[in-house]
Amino acid sequence: MRLFTKVFLLLLCTLLVTAALSQWLGEKWRTENKLIEARLAQMSDLAETAVRLYEDMGARHYQQSIHQELRQLHAFGMLTDREGRPVHRIGRPGEPPRPVPEFMHPLIEQARHQQQPVTMIEPPRLSIAIQIQGDRGEYIWAATTLLSPEEMRQTGSSMRLLQLFTALLTIAAVSALLTRMLTRPIRSLQATSERLGHGELSARVEAAVSERNDELGDLAQTIDQMADRLDQLINSHKQLLRDISHELRSPLARLQVALELARNTAGEQAETELDRIGLEADRLNDLIGEVLTLARFDQGGVHAALARIDLAQMIRDISCDATFEAEATGRRIETGELPECHFMADRIWLKRALENVIRNAIRHTPVDSSVEISLNVESAVASIHIRDHGHGVEEEKLAHLFEPFFRASAAREHDNSGYGLGLAIARRAIELHAGTITAGNHADGGLQVDITLPLVSV
């Protein structure tokens, strides 16, 4: 069934149920009102009868007749003068008048000042007071009755609350069903899209959604097909890079052999040109190596060989090596205090990640400036901060800084060193250790790369 049909039928069902419940509650309310009005009317009709019997037949006959009528109605009533004093209590013959019950005082007092009947509805008690004109004066007829348990079940407030609660519960159940029918698959589609957006190309919509025979099922199948196509395209792209890199290794090796032969043949006549060819061949060889390394990471071919390392000492060693490269171009390496930090990590890949980040910082910090390296250890997490004093990176490009072959800007790429793969490999090496690597512009200028590593103990 299509989603349009489901939503249409559920909404129609909700409206029909709401209309039916409204009709039912309305009928219940009218029935309750009719019952109460009938009881009040019965007690009201006795007013003129009581006055006529009292004035025409006398108190004794009035007492006997009205008492019989009230018994049939399961009610109590009395006739009072205009001041509210009972002319005779309805009860056993011969009994003297008794005071008016306390709960009827306000009712009688109100009837004295009004020209219309006064009713009091406080289930199970129903009361009425009427001012009536007789031949020998004015009277007030007051009567009250108690609803039976059966009548209370029909008219009680608890019953009305139960009816209202039942109606609301039914409407809420239908609404919840409609909401769940729409939101649950949408949340599944959203979760799958977010996973795909974060690069998890194996993510697929759960079968309960993709197997639906409606528009949401069609959308889920489209997303799965798109994910399959993206996965194939990216894997083909990675495989193409790996294959090309492998294929380039053979002619490159032959080129280096031919270069050495040319050196021996040409002597000093073409030394400058041959040195340039050799430099470019070495760069090409390095590039091919980095592409192959990145391909190994992307295909899951790299696994961490954990060993106990001293992170502070590793940073000192890398800084010492990087100092020779930095000083050759008029730059410096500055390390702050490095606290002792021992944990389990892959020495080769962690060292390579740090070297790539530090060398990237050396290339982009200006001459006569420094690259600053610091280490903090807190709550079983090591934080490494590497900052240069260059031009920084535009905010919108920071998120792409660790993507392969990404070049931030012309200002930061003022020379042709680097291939745009060093930071990409660094990110994968850090993620291999369940860590994170991010970049941001420092408040005082330059780019700062922050690396966090969970300290896995021995």
Side-chain angles (χ1 to χ4, degrees):
M1 185 183 297
R2 307 304 292 174
L3 182 62
F4 172 83
T5 307
K6 291 179 182 179
V7 174
F8 174 77
L9 292 178
L10 274 175
L11 289 176
L12 180 63
C13 179
T14 302
L15 293 175
L16 291 176
V17 170
T18 303
L21 287 173
S22 300
Q23 179 69 19
W24 176 66
L25 289 174
E27 288 296 331
K28 294 290 292 182
W29 180 78
R30 286 190 290 271
T31 300
E32 295 170 6
N33 280 352
K34 287 179 181 179
L35 176 61
I36 292 174
E37 290 173 359
R39 294 296 296 274
L40 292 173
Q42 289 172 337
M43 292 189 296
S44 177
D45 291 343
L46 290 177
E48 292 185 2
T49 302
V51 172
R52 187 176 63 254
L53 288 174
Y54 180 72
E55 291 186 343
D56 297 344
M57 308 297 295
R60 183 179 181 80
H61 190 72
Y62 151 80
Q63 178 182 3
Q64 292 175 346
S65 298
I66 291 299
H67 181 66
Q68 183 67 26
E69 294 285 347
L70 291 171
R71 284 185 62 185
Q72 293 178 1
L73 296 177
H74 303 286
F76 164 80
M78 63 169 49
L79 190 65
T80 72
D81 59 21
R82 61 177 302 174
E83 302 301 327
R85 295 185 295 267
V87 298
H88 200 288
R89 180 184 185 277
I90 304 304
R92 296 177 181 176
E95 288 185 350
R98 291 183 181 179
V100 178
E102 290 293 334
F103 71 89
M104 298 186 72
H105 281 168
L107 198 65
I108 293 174
E109 186 65 26
Q110 191 175 357
R112 288 178 58 195
H113 299 89
Q114 295 185 10
Q115 299 300 319
Q116 57 185 6
V118 178
T119 58
M120 182 172 64
I121 303 174
E122 295 178 346
R125 185 183 301 280
L126 303 178
S127 304
I128 188 170
I130 303 173
Q131 188 178 32
I132 187 167
Q133 181 67 45
D135 295 336
R136 294 186 292 181
E138 292 183 358
Y139 302 89
I140 295 177
W141 167 253
T144 186
T145 186
L146 295 176
L147 297 175
S148 66
E150 178 62 28
E151 292 170 329
M152 279 298 296
R153 281 194 292 272
Q154 297 179 24
T155 63
S157 58
S158 60
M159 175 56 68
R160 287 193 292 272
L161 289 176
L162 179 60
Q163 294 164 359
L164 180 60
F165 176 75
T166 302
L168 293 176
L169 183 63
T170 303
I171 295 173
V174 176
S175 301
L177 178 63
L178 177 61
T179 303
R180 178 177 174 80
M181 184 186 72
L182 292 174
T183 58
R184 184 176 179 276
I186 290 175
R187 283 197 298 268
S188 177
L189 293 172
Q190 180 185 12
T192 303
S193 299
E194 288 178 351
R195 291 170 61 191
L196 289 172
H198 286 91
E200 189 178 342
L201 298 180
S202 61
R204 296 295 183 273
V205 182
E206 58 183 12
V209 179
S210 60
E211 293 176 358
R212 291 167 61 108
N213 295 319
D214 56 22
E215 289 85 349
L216 291 175
D218 294 343
L219 178 59
Q221 294 171 14
T222 302
I223 290 177
D224 285 345
Q225 293 171 2
M226 177 188 69
D228 289 337
R229 183 60 178 159
L230 284 174
D231 196 17
Q232 293 173 4
L233 288 174
I234 292 178
N235 285 335
S236 298
H237 172 69
K238 292 176 181 178
Q239 185 65 36
L240 178 62
L241 282 178
R242 192 167 68 92
D243 292 345
I244 291 176
S245 299
H246 275 295
E247 293 299 323
L248 287 175
R249 277 287 171 87
S250 296
L252 182 60
R254 292 192 292 269
L255 174 62
Q256 290 173 331
V257 171
L259 179 61
E260 292 302 320
L261 293 176
R263 287 182 189 277
N264 295 332
T265 303
E268 297 181 358
Q269 296 179 359
E271 183 177 358
T272 302
E273 290 77 8
L274 293 177
D275 287 343
R276 183 63 183 179
I277 294 173
L279 177 62
E280 296 301 332
D282 291 339
R283 286 182 174 177
L284 181 59
N285 188 56
D286 292 340
L287 175 59
I288 293 172
E290 291 194 352
V291 170
L292 290 174
T293 298
L294 195 63
R296 288 179 58 200
F297 271 109
D298 290 340
Q299 294 178 354
V302 178
H303 303 282
L306 299 181
R308 190 171 187 271
I309 68 167
D310 183 343
L311 182 58
Q313 187 59 47
M314 176 181 286
I315 294 176
R316 293 189 191 97
D317 294 341
I318 296 173
S319 300
C320 184
D321 294 339
T323 297
F324 293 103
E325 179 181 342
E327 290 179 347
T329 56
R331 300 170 173 91
R332 302 182 304 278
I333 301 293
E334 296 180 358
T335 57
E337 183 179 353
L338 303 177
E340 183 177 354
C341 178
H342 295 84
F343 73 113
M344 301 296 291
D346 187 303
R347 180 181 300 276
I348 294 176
W349 288 115
L350 182 57
K351 182 178 181 180
R352 183 163 182 179
L354 295 177
E355 286 178 339
N356 286 355
V357 176
I358 292 173
R359 286 200 173 102
N360 183 77
I362 293 173
R363 285 198 302 270
H364 298 115
T365 199
V367 177
D368 295 329
S369 67
S370 63
V371 172
E372 300 171 3
I373 306 173
S374 61
L375 170 65
N376 298 317
V377 180
E378 185 177 354
S379 301
V381 174
S383 300
I384 305 169
H385 309 287
I386 302 169
R387 177 200 170 192
D388 64 48
H389 289 77
H391 298 280
V393 176
E394 297 176 18
E395 292 293 333
E396 63 272 14
K397 296 182 178 180
L398 287 173
H400 305 285
L401 203 58
F402 299 95
E403 295 177 0
F405 300 108
F406 177 77
R407 296 299 178 109
S409 64
R412 284 190 64 85
E413 303 302 333
H414 52 76
D415 58 28
N416 293 323
S417 58
Y419 315 108
L421 292 175
L423 293 183
I425 293 174
R427 185 184 71 175
R428 285 157 176 77
I430 295 300
E431 290 175 348
L432 184 67
H433 293 81
T436 62
I437 180 170
T438 58
N441 291 311
H442 195 275
D444 296 328
L447 184 75
Q448 177 169 305
V449 176
D450 299 316
I451 300 173
T452 61
L453 294 167
L455 301 181
V456 181
S457 59
V458 179

